[in-house]
Amino acid sequence: MAVFVTYLVLGFSLALPVGPITVEMTKQGLKNGFVHGWSVGLGGMTIDVLLIIFIYFGFSTILSQPEIKVAMWLIGAIFLLVIAIDSIRNAGQDIAVGEGKMAKSKRSSYMTGFLVGISPGNILFWVGIFGTVLANSVHTAHSSFLIVAGGILTGILLHDISLLTMVALTRKYMSQLFIKRITIGAGIVLIGFAVYFVLEFVVGLMKMIY
C-alpha cells in the first residue's frame, strides 16, 4: 500500500506542470464543461496506458532511439499546430456555459486528447521518467509493476479530476468573452509548444546528420 501511495503522489506531482494536455483540458472544461475536459484527459491517459504496455514488453528502448525521437517531435508539432489553429479560429463558436447543446462532441474532445497525448513531450516524459522505474518493477515482480503503474495513473487521474472540478466550479461565473479570450490564449500557448517541438526536431536532425 505504501508503494502505491508513493507513486500516486509522484504521478500527481508530475502532472502538475502545465503541458499541452493540461491546456487543452482546461480550455474544453471552460467552454463545454467538466465532461468535455474529462474526455480530453481520458484521451491523453489512453496514450499513457499504451505506453505502460509498451514499457512492460520492453519497447522503451525502441522509443528512445534518436530517429524515433526526431520523428515524434515533428509529428507532435504538426498535431499541436492543427489543434492550436482550430482553437483560435473557433474560439467563440462552441462556448456552452448554460445548458445549451454542445457544439463539440465528447468523442471529438477525446480524440483531441488522444492526439495531444501522442506528442513527443508526453511520450519522452513516460519513457524518460517512468521507463526505468517501470522496467525495474517488471524485473522485481509482475505484481510490483501493476502497483507502480496503477499508482502513477491514479495520481494523474486525481490531478485531472481536481483541475476540472475547479474549472467547472468557476466557469459559471465567467463571461463568454472572457472564456473566448482564454481559449485564444490557450491556442497561442499550444503554438508555443509546437514551435518548441520544431526546434527540438531541428536540433535532433542536426545531431543525426553531424
Side-chain angles (χ1 to χ4, degrees):
M1 186 63 183
V3 174
F4 179 84
V5 173
T6 298
Y7 284 97
L8 183 153
V9 173
L10 178 61
F12 185 90
S13 301
L14 290 173
L16 286 174
V18 176
I21 292 180
T22 304
V23 171
E24 188 63 24
M25 281 173 56
T26 303
K27 186 195 80 175
Q28 289 300 328
L30 283 173
K31 294 184 71 175
N32 297 315
F34 183 95
V35 176
H36 282 262
W38 177 242
S39 296
V40 173
L42 288 178
M45 285 195 70
T46 300
I47 299 299
D48 297 341
V49 172
L50 290 175
L51 287 173
I52 286 177
I53 295 173
F54 287 151
I55 291 171
Y56 180 82
F57 287 106
F59 291 154
S60 58
T61 53
I62 296 176
L63 294 174
S64 299
Q65 294 298 317
E67 297 84 359
I68 302 298
K69 286 184 178 180
V70 168
M72 288 193 302
W73 284 121
L74 181 60
I75 293 170
I78 293 171
F79 281 158
L80 289 181
L81 192 59
V82 170
I83 294 170
I85 293 173
D86 181 70
S87 176
I88 295 173
R89 186 175 58 189
N90 301 315
Q93 291 185 11
D94 57 346
I95 299 174
V97 178
E99 299 297 328
K101 182 179 179 181
M102 303 296 180
K104 187 180 182 70
S105 70
K106 291 185 281 293
R107 181 178 180 180
S108 177
S109 296
Y110 172 85
M111 288 306 301
T112 298
F114 186 88
L115 292 176
V116 174
I118 299 175
S119 69
N122 185 55
I123 293 176
L124 295 176
F125 167 80
W126 274 95
V127 174
I129 297 178
F130 292 132
T132 304
V133 174
L134 291 170
N136 288 337
S137 65
V138 170
H139 296 306
T140 303
H142 294 297
S143 59
S144 177
F145 177 87
L146 292 176
I147 292 172
V148 171
I152 292 170
L153 288 174
T154 303
I156 296 173
L157 194 63
L158 288 176
H159 165 269
D160 293 351
I161 292 174
S162 301
L163 173 66
L164 289 169
T165 299
M166 183 174 65
V167 169
L169 291 175
T170 56
R171 70 187 289 265
K172 297 177 182 179
Y173 305 101
M174 298 181 185
S175 67
Q176 291 197 1
L177 178 60
F178 183 72
I179 294 176
K180 179 181 178 180
R181 288 174 177 172
I182 290 179
T183 302
I184 294 173
I188 294 172
V189 170
L190 290 176
I191 289 176
F193 278 111
V195 171
Y196 170 72
F197 285 6
V198 169
L199 292 176
E200 289 292 336
F201 164 75
V202 172
V203 170
L205 192 62
M206 295 299 291
K207 286 181 179 180
M208 288 176 57
I209 294 175
Y210 298 103

